[in-house]
Structure formats: structure tokens, C-alpha cells
Amino acid sequence: MNFIRKSLGLLLVVTFIFLLPVNGLTASKFTIKPKISASWRVDTNFFKAENIEREVYTYAIQPGIDIGFRTAKSKILVDYTLNIYRYHDRDPVPPGQRPASDDDYNGHTLIFQARHKLTDRLLIGLDDSYYKTRDPAQTDRFDDSVAREKYFVNRLTPMIYYDFGEKFTLGLRYRNTVIDYLDDAGIYEDSTEDRWMFDLIYNFSRTASFDLEYQHWQKDYDIATSDYTSDQINLIFRKEFKVVSFGAGGGYHERDFDNPALNDIDVWNYIITILAEKEGPEEDSPPRSYIRLSSERNFNDQGLGDNYYIATTFTLDAGRVFMEKIKVDITAYYQNSKYERTYGLTPEGTTALREDDTFHISADIGYMFTDWLTFTITGGYKDRDSNLAGYDYLNKYFIAKLDFSYDLGKK
């Protein structure tokens, strides 16, 4: 089944490319950027354990390439990175525990994006993302896991948008997600998700709109975790000013489980985002300065063992370039994860639902030697506090990284 899904995805990508008009190539803009990053990282609590903390060094080499192609009506972007990770324990490995080097692996990141205007009113698109990684955050945007299992995740999203005059836009997207754990992943299960997304957008003007969004998806697990169906409807308002953009919306999300022993769950969800930024000197260059505030509330999607929670997040991102050479970025993040099901017992022996508070703050300082070579150091602090024993952890980390990315040519 996974082979069929991969083949279908590749066929859609190739078909989309061949649908592009040949006569548009003469007025195209083509970019190709080889890139490579080399980094060293130290974590004081690499495995995010509550009691036995282990300091581990991470060495990473990440070569890759960015390819871009644009015409007046079309755009294709391809971003590939080979991620080579090696790990080394600073101190002797405690008896009965595995060395960090057992996690050594070569991962992959591939991002594909294509857009084409068939007519002045009709836009078609295709997105595909593939990750082979040990980072659990790629499975779920509200990830709260400390697992380091190796897996791949692929998300394929064809889409179509049609403009009814200047005021109304109708959008339809379908996303297929495959998560496949590699090696011996223990309790972690492979899964597939089929999601339909419908948008009816009313444009007050070029800078203001209402989006009525409905999503329906089916999540299927391979082993013991119950399959489920989710339905979500949101109304989102978006507004753009000269340097500030704003988005706010909310709605209702209901999740029904195939296992009759599980109670269905629902939540009133919301999302708010405020972004202010000053553009860089070139079209693709990063902003000279920015600040982003956001908050969101919803269910997590990846619930192995039928463990789901309502995630409420608050995020602050800010950055600025000083003296044309020094780039500073700061991120502060908080997530409350309130579990919906009985997860364990309190020390008093009464049944309790797990609830976690996770704080994460990091700061980057980078020096741009040229527009294609940057050296960055990062310091970070992440702390999770749970009401149940065994789920707390504190990790501090430091990263030194050198990034190279050079544009070989533009047409």
C-alpha cells in the first residue's frame, strides 16, 4: 500500500510539471542554490528524562540544493537536504542504557511546491513534503513526545482554487499523510490520514478577507490505536496593512472513534496570529526585522495509544538585522497539553488526567560574512512540568552552526 501511495505521489508531481505550458519557459526565472550546513550541538538532557540526565554531543552535516522556476503564471520550488546526524555521549553510559550513538542516522528532507494559473480565475497546485527523521515534531504540530524513533512522514496535497469575480474564492484541497516507523519502533504505529479541506473565501478588498473553512479527515492506525474521524469548521478573518498582517478565527472540532469503548471528544478551537515585518532588500531575502505573536487551541492529531489532549499554545518570535551583518532571533513558546483520557494515577492513588506545561525559549546570534555564508550560535532552554510523575524534564542546549548557500545563476 505504501508503494502504491508513493508511486501515485510521484505520478502527480511529474504530471503537474508536464502540464505547464512550454511557451512560458522563454520568459522564465530559474534559480539553483547548492547549500550545506555544519553544526555542533550539546544537550544537557538529550533523552529528556526526568531523573537520569545524559549530556550528549550532536554532529550534523546537511548538504542540499534549492531549485526554483517561475514564469508569469507558474511556480515550481524544490528543496532537498541530506541530514547526516552522529551522536556522542560526553560521559560513560549508565548500566542498562543504550549509547547515544545507537541513534546515528542519515535522514532526508524534500519539499516540493508547484502552482499554475490555468486561467485568470483558475489556479491549480501541488505540495509534497517528505521527512526521514527522529524528530517527533514532524508527526504533529502540537507534538509533546520525547520519543526518538526513526520514521518517515510524507504529505501529498493537490489543490484547486477558483475565483468567482473579485469577491469570492472557492478552494478544495486533499492531503494524504503517511507515517511509517522504521526498524523496531516498539509501541509506535504506522498510520495514514486522508483529509479533505474546503474553503469559501469572501474578499472585502485585496487586503481583507473572511475564510469559511471545513475539514474532514480519517486517521487509520495499523495496530491497536483506534481509528478516528474528525470534522472541523472554522471562520477566519485576515487583514493586511503596510507592515502588519493579522489573522483571527475559531470554530468547532469533533472527533469520533471507531472503537465503541472510547468516548467521542470535541473542542472549541481558535487561532490568532499577528505579524509585523520590514522586508529585506531582495525578493527572497529574509526580513530586516520582524515580530510575530500567535496563539492556538486544538486537539493533537497523532494519538498513539488513544492518548489525545487539548493543546493551548502561545508563541513569540522576533528578529532583527543589525549593521547589515548581525542577525538576532528570539523565540519564546508555551504549550499546555490537557489530556482527554485517564492516563495514570496520582501519588494518592486517585485516577487523574495528565496535564503538561511546556516552556521553550531560544536565542540566535548570527554573523553574515556574505549573503551566502553565515555563522550562528544558539542557546536554548526547554522545561516540561507535568502533574504526573515520570513526565517532567529540563533540557538546556547550545548550538554552533555554519550555513553556506550560493545562487549559481538566475535567468
Side-chain angles (χ1 to χ4, degrees):
M1 180 62 69
N2 285 340
F3 174 77
I4 295 175
R5 292 177 185 272
K6 292 179 186 178
S7 300
L8 178 61
L10 180 60
L11 178 62
L12 282 172
V13 171
V14 174
T15 302
F16 190 97
I17 293 173
F18 278 96
L19 282 175
L20 298 178
V22 176
N23 56 8
L25 300 180
T26 57
S28 64
K29 176 184 177 183
F30 182 77
T31 60
I32 180 168
K33 295 181 181 180
K35 60 182 180 179
I36 186 168
S37 297
S39 64
W40 173 82
R41 170 171 175 153
V42 57
D43 289 85
T44 61
N45 187 7
F46 179 75
F47 291 101
K48 299 177 182 178
E50 183 173 60
N51 297 317
I52 304 177
E53 299 184 358
R54 290 169 55 185
E55 190 165 319
V56 172
Y57 300 139
T58 301
Y59 304 89
I61 299 291
Q62 297 170 285
I65 190 168
D66 291 341
I67 299 174
F69 169 78
R70 291 180 174 88
T71 69
K73 293 187 176 182
S74 305
K75 177 178 72 172
I76 295 178
L77 301 175
V78 180
D79 181 352
Y80 171 75
T81 305
L82 170 65
N83 306 302
I84 304 171
Y85 285 99
R86 299 294 181 264
Y87 305 99
H88 177 71
D89 284 279
R90 176 183 175 180
D91 301 315
V93 179
Q97 296 194 25
R98 60 188 178 88
S101 58
D102 283 359
D103 280 357
D104 291 353
Y105 78 102
N106 298 334
H108 304 277
T109 302
L110 177 62
I111 308 296
F112 175 86
Q113 183 184 88
R115 301 289 185 272
H116 177 61
K117 295 202 72 172
L118 286 174
T119 69
D120 291 339
R121 293 176 178 243
L122 183 61
L123 173 73
I124 61 173
L126 182 66
D127 291 345
D128 189 63
S129 64
Y130 173 87
Y131 298 88
K132 180 182 177 183
T133 181
R134 289 189 183 275
D135 179 7
Q138 297 300 338
T139 64
D140 197 311
R141 71 185 189 281
F142 296 129
D143 167 69
D144 195 32
S145 172
V146 299
R148 292 194 49 80
E149 304 300 332
K150 186 168 59 176
Y151 67 96
F152 78 76
V153 54
N154 190 84
R155 296 180 175 92
L156 179 68
T157 312
M159 64 192 71
I160 184 170
Y161 286 89
Y162 186 80
D163 293 328
F164 294 90
E166 297 181 355
K167 293 297 183 181
F168 284 98
T169 300
L170 183 65
L172 179 63
R173 292 168 290 160
Y174 164 76
R175 185 170 71 206
N176 171 256
T177 302
V178 177
I179 299 176
D180 194 344
Y181 286 89
L182 308 173
D183 304 330
D184 182 8
I187 65 171
Y188 296 93
E189 302 179 38
D190 299 344
S191 65
T192 59
E193 179 187 286
D194 295 291
R195 183 182 300 229
W196 292 92
M197 296 165 280
F198 170 86
D199 293 273
L200 178 60
I201 303 170
Y202 177 75
N203 301 292
F204 296 98
S205 65
R206 293 183 178 180
T207 61
S209 66
F210 263 120
D211 182 359
L212 178 62
E213 179 189 75
Y214 171 70
Q215 297 188 25
H216 171 86
W217 67 97
Q218 174 72 34
K219 182 86 168 181
D220 297 322
Y221 294 93
D222 277 7
I223 309 177
T225 300
S226 175
D227 301 339
Y228 71 77
T229 301
S230 267
D231 290 278
Q232 176 177 283
I233 187 166
N234 287 329
L235 183 62
I236 304 170
F237 174 73
R238 297 182 178 92
K239 173 65 178 177
E240 294 181 6
F241 299 95
K242 187 175 182 180
V243 296
V244 177
S245 59
F246 171 80
Y252 180 73
H253 181 177
E254 182 179 69
R255 182 164 294 170
D256 300 330
F257 296 96
D258 289 4
N259 184 349
L262 300 178
N263 294 324
D264 298 334
I265 55 179
D266 56 30
V267 64
W268 291 96
N269 62 288
Y270 72 82
I271 182 169
I272 300 172
T273 302
I274 303 173
L275 171 64
E277 63 180 353
K278 183 178 180 181
E279 295 182 354
E282 299 180 7
E283 180 183 353
D284 296 328
S285 62
R288 292 298 184 113
S289 61
Y290 69 93
I291 182 169
R292 181 189 298 107
L293 297 168
S294 64
S295 179
E296 189 170 359
R297 182 176 191 260
N298 211 331
F299 287 128
N300 67 312
D301 285 336
Q302 185 76 353
L304 299 177
D306 301 317
N307 294 309
Y308 296 93
Y309 49 84
I310 297 175
T312 305
T313 68
F314 298 89
T315 307
L316 167 64
D317 297 300
R320 185 171 181 179
V321 177
F322 298 91
M323 297 181 291
E324 307 294 329
K325 291 290 185 181
I326 301 174
K327 189 173 184 294
V328 177
D329 296 277
I330 298 173
T331 297
Y333 177 82
Y334 164 77
Q335 176 172 316
N336 173 264
S337 304
K338 188 174 183 179
Y339 282 77
E340 288 289 296
R341 306 194 174 282
T342 301
Y343 205 84
L345 300 176
T346 65
E348 293 77 22
T350 57
T351 302
L353 292 176
R354 177 180 166 188
E355 185 171 356
D356 298 342
D357 291 306
T358 304
F359 303 88
H360 185 198
I361 186 168
S362 65
D364 303 343
I365 300 178
Y367 184 81
M368 296 180 286
F369 296 97
T370 68
D371 59 356
W372 46 266
L373 186 64
T374 303
F375 176 73
T376 306
I377 59 173
T378 302
Y381 174 98
K382 190 171 185 180
D383 177 39
R384 185 170 77 185
D385 181 25
S386 178
N387 65 326
L388 298 183
Y391 299 104
D392 295 347
Y393 72 81
L394 172 63
N395 181 46
K396 303 173 187 177
Y397 60 88
F398 175 84
I399 306 170
K401 188 177 183 181
L402 187 65
D403 292 295
F404 169 89
S405 177
Y406 188 76
D407 192 345
L408 290 180
K410 300 179 181 181
K411 182 178 177 181

